[in-house]
């Protein structure tokens, strides 16, 4: 296994996890755990990988230098996908200084047996001179854990922001221009929609801070996915857009169906929306195994939609379980609380009182969605007039969206 030199004296020495398909509720087509070796007169390793990837990291480092020659480790983030190989590395390098935030130190101590670790706690603005290369540290609390930190390589103008600007994808490409601009941004959108949404105000504040410090960022080397070397400005602009809640004339419809009635309603809404020339994405949840229908794929669509419709049949007076799962996830992320409003309402078929619609309406409100009616329910199967009403509601929603 080999390192890849990303600029002179800076190497990607990360791990590719081709097989991971689920990570705390996020479905993913594999991922990478990016670590970087910065070689000046002294040598620093930035971040590591998930437990079990020790060999990949060590072999890639060994293709550049003897790992015993590493002088410093930088731990930007405690979460195990970036620190899981530290126990091995700190054993190989007894006494090696580990640079992290105060919260980072506390977090590492809760995760690992750190009695022999040599912590060097840093604050924003502190630097580490490697001789010819200088690392500057910038605390980034809650982006996305309390311990998070960005590291900036002054001479080459590379930002190592850990999770921020990342994408969960395993591929042979290491750079945005190799994977392609559109695919890189698409994967970054999914990552943002599932992980960064609740942190939007902190993203905007941090980007302002980076600007006010006069940090010129030429390259962004995140801890997952491809490195932004050709489209760094595009991903920065996308983060600003997403964090401000900017979205498209688009509606996402998410639902499940028991005997096809709620499905017929979803399709009628979609027809009405399309008639008004507004983009629509229709997501039948089922088991989430079909392309684009798992909760984490849907969140990428919710992010750039101006409206979200959620439908469920009643099941024992409750939500359909797949819809309950989606709403639980949605309430945690709260995409309706980004800078601009998102509209929505509930729909579904029921034999009894329509309690599923009331539950969806409450959950949409918890997620910050501006609910524009109390939901549209039908008893058993929707008849022709009821389906026409669904189309009409779709048209009305699309017209509202076009005025936003
Ligand atoms: Fe990629 Fe917060 O871990």
């Amino acid at each position: 296994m080999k390192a890849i030199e990303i600029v002179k004296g800076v190497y990607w020495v990360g791990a590719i996890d081709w097989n991971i398909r689920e990570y705390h509720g996020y479905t993913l087509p594999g991922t990478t755990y990016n670590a970087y070796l910065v070689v000046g007169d002294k040598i620093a390793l930035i971040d590591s990988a998930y437990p079990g990837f020790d060999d990949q990291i060590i072999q890639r480092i060994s293709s550049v230098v003897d790992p015993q020659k590493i002088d410093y480790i930088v731990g930007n983030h405690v979460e195990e996908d970036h620190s899981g190989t530290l126990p091995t590395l700190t054993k190989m390098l007894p006494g090696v200084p580990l640079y992290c935030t105060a919260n980072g130190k506390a977090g590492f101590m809760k995760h690992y047996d750190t009695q022999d670790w040599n912590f060097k706690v840093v604050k924003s603005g502190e630097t580490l001179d490697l001789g010819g290369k200088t690392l500057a540290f910038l605390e980034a609390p809650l982006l996305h854990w309390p311990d998070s930190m960005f590291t900036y390589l002054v001479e080459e103008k590379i930002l190592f922001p850990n999770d921020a600007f990342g994408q969960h994808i395993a591929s042979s490409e290491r750079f945005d221009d190799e994977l392609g601009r559109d695919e890189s941004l698409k994967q970054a959108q999914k990552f943002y929609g599932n992980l960064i949404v609740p942190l939007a105000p902190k993203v905007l504040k941090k980007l302002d801070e980076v600007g006010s410090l006069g940090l010129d960022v030429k390259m962004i080397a995140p801890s997952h996915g491809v490195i932004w070397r050709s489209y760094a400005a595009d991903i920065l602009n996308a983060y600003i857009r997403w964090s401000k809640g900017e979205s498209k004339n688009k509606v996402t419809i998410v639902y499940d169906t028991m005997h096809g009635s709620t499905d017929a309603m979803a399709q009628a809404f979609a027809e009405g929306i399309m008639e008004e020339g507004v983009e629509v994405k229709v997501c039948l949840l089922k088991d989430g195994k079909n392309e684009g229908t798992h909760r984490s794929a849907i969140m990428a669509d919710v992010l750039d939609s101006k409206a979200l419709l959620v439908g469920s049949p009643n099941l024992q007076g409750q939500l359909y379980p797949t819809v309950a799962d989606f709403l639980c996830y949605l309430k945690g992320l709260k995409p309706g609380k980004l800078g601009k409003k998102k509209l929505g309402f509930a729909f579904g078929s029921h034999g009894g009182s329509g309690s599923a619609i009331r539950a969806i309406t409450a959950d949409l409100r918890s997620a910050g969605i501006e609910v524009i009616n109390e939901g549209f329910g039908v008893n058993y199967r929707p008849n022709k007039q009821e389906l026409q009403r669904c189309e009409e509601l779709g048209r009305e929603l699309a017209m509202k969206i076009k005025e936003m």
Side-chain angles (χ1 to χ4, degrees):
M1 289 182 189
K2 294 272 185 343
I4 290 172
E5 190 168 38
I6 64 172
V7 297
K8 195 162 173 44
V10 182
Y11 300 84
W12 174 85
V13 291
I16 305 174
D17 185 346
W18 294 101
N19 297 323
I20 189 168
R21 290 293 178 273
E22 201 278 341
Y23 188 68
H24 58 51
Y26 188 129
T27 45
L28 62 173
T31 193
T32 62
Y33 313 112
N34 297 338
Y36 300 94
L37 199 67
V38 182
V39 182
D41 296 338
K42 301 277 190 183
I43 298 173
L45 173 68
I46 300 177
D47 292 323
S48 72
Y50 210 51
F53 288 86
D54 313 65
D55 281 353
Q56 273 208 50
I57 297 276
I58 290 166
Q59 284 189 40
R60 291 193 206 283
I61 294 169
S62 302
S63 72
V64 181
V65 293
D66 177 351
Q68 300 286 346
K69 294 201 165 137
I70 291 172
D71 298 288
Y72 311 103
I73 297 176
V74 175
N76 276 325
H77 181 26
V78 169
E79 195 167 3
E80 286 172 74
D81 51 334
H82 308 295
S83 68
T85 61
L86 285 180
T88 301
L89 290 162
T90 49
K91 257 197 199 86
M92 280 177 71
L93 301 161
V96 66
L98 172 63
Y99 285 72
C100 61
T101 63
N103 281 329
K105 178 179 175 182
F108 286 128
M109 290 171 77
K110 286 291 287 176
H111 278 74
Y112 306 109
D113 175 2
T114 58
Q115 57 185 335
D116 297 326
W117 293 21
N118 178 16
F119 289 108
K120 299 285 178 202
V121 169
V122 288
K123 292 187 172 152
S124 286
E126 292 187 39
T127 57
L128 173 62
D129 184 1
L130 302 178
K133 298 214 183 314
T134 312
L135 299 180
F137 304 111
L138 182 62
E139 291 167 278
L142 295 174
L143 279 176
H144 75 114
W145 276 16
D147 53 86
S148 297
M149 176 170 86
F150 293 179
T151 298
Y152 179 71
L153 177 55
V154 175
E155 289 78 7
E156 276 77 15
K157 304 185 190 334
I158 303 175
L159 186 67
F160 300 94
N162 199 267
D163 281 320
F165 311 108
Q167 331 93 53
H168 277 313
I169 182 168
S171 70
S172 48
E173 295 85 5
R174 298 277 75 79
F175 296 98
D176 53 358
D177 44 54
E178 294 172 347
L179 186 64
R181 177 187 177 277
D182 291 351
E183 182 63 18
S184 302
L185 286 168
K186 183 176 150 198
Q187 295 296 337
Q189 180 173 336
K190 183 179 171 193
F191 190 95
Y192 187 104
N194 281 272
L195 295 167
I196 312 291
V197 162
L199 315 172
K202 291 190 167 53
V203 170
L204 291 172
K205 205 167 153 217
K206 191 53 57 185
L207 291 179
D208 272 355
E209 199 181 327
V210 168
S212 66
L213 291 171
L215 301 184
D216 179 15
V217 177
K218 283 225 164 105
M219 188 182 288
I220 300 175
S223 58
H224 298 290
V226 293
I227 296 162
W228 302 94
R229 70 175 173 190
S230 293
Y231 303 113
D234 297 64
I235 187 62
L236 282 167
N237 286 333
Y239 259 56
I240 291 168
R241 252 190 353 263
W242 295 329
S243 299
K244 288 181 173 172
E246 289 177 14
S247 50
K248 300 197 274 187
N249 284 350
K250 172 177 168 182
V251 180
T252 297
I253 303 176
V254 182
Y255 68 104
D256 212 330
T257 194
M258 197 185 301
H259 299 301
S261 296
T262 305
D263 177 52
M265 296 175 77
Q267 305 218 19
F269 288 123
E271 284 299 318
I273 293 162
M274 287 189 292
E275 279 171 27
E276 284 298 320
V278 166
E279 182 181 344
V280 63
K281 185 74 186 275
V282 177
C283 303
L284 170 62
L285 288 162
K286 284 298 172 205
D287 56 10
K289 290 191 176 137
N290 294 333
E291 177 74 24
T293 64
H294 187 273
R295 67 177 98 81
S296 55
I298 294 169
M299 290 315 300
D301 285 303
V302 172
L303 180 65
D304 68 3
S305 292
K306 284 188 179 158
L308 169 65
L309 305 188
V310 178
S312 173
N314 268 21
L315 180 63
Q316 323 293 17
Q318 300 291 325
L319 289 164
Y320 213 64
T322 48
V323 180
D325 170 289
F326 171 75
L327 288 168
C328 176
Y329 198 65
L330 183 83
K331 280 191 291 180
L333 289 166
K334 298 187 180 8
K337 292 198 171 167
L338 293 166
K340 291 198 163 65
K341 66 183 174 187
K342 286 191 196 295
L343 309 180
F345 62 84
F347 65 95
S349 147
H350 56 82
S353 71
S355 45
I357 286 182
R358 290 193 291 280
I360 295 169
T361 300
D363 285 351
L364 286 174
R365 289 196 170 112
S366 293
I369 306 291
E370 187 174 307
V371 174
I372 58 170
N373 60 47
E374 291 308 309
F376 187 65
V378 301
N379 185 231
Y380 297 125
R381 299 198 73 77
N383 60 27
K384 195 174 165 198
Q385 289 73 29
E386 285 164 332
L387 288 175
Q388 279 172 348
R389 180 64 185 140
C390 290
E391 286 190 25
E392 197 175 287
L393 285 169
R395 282 194 294 276
E396 286 171 13
L397 175 65
M399 285 189 272
K400 262 192 210 306
I401 279 175
K402 287 193 286 188
E403 286 164 8
M404 285 166 69

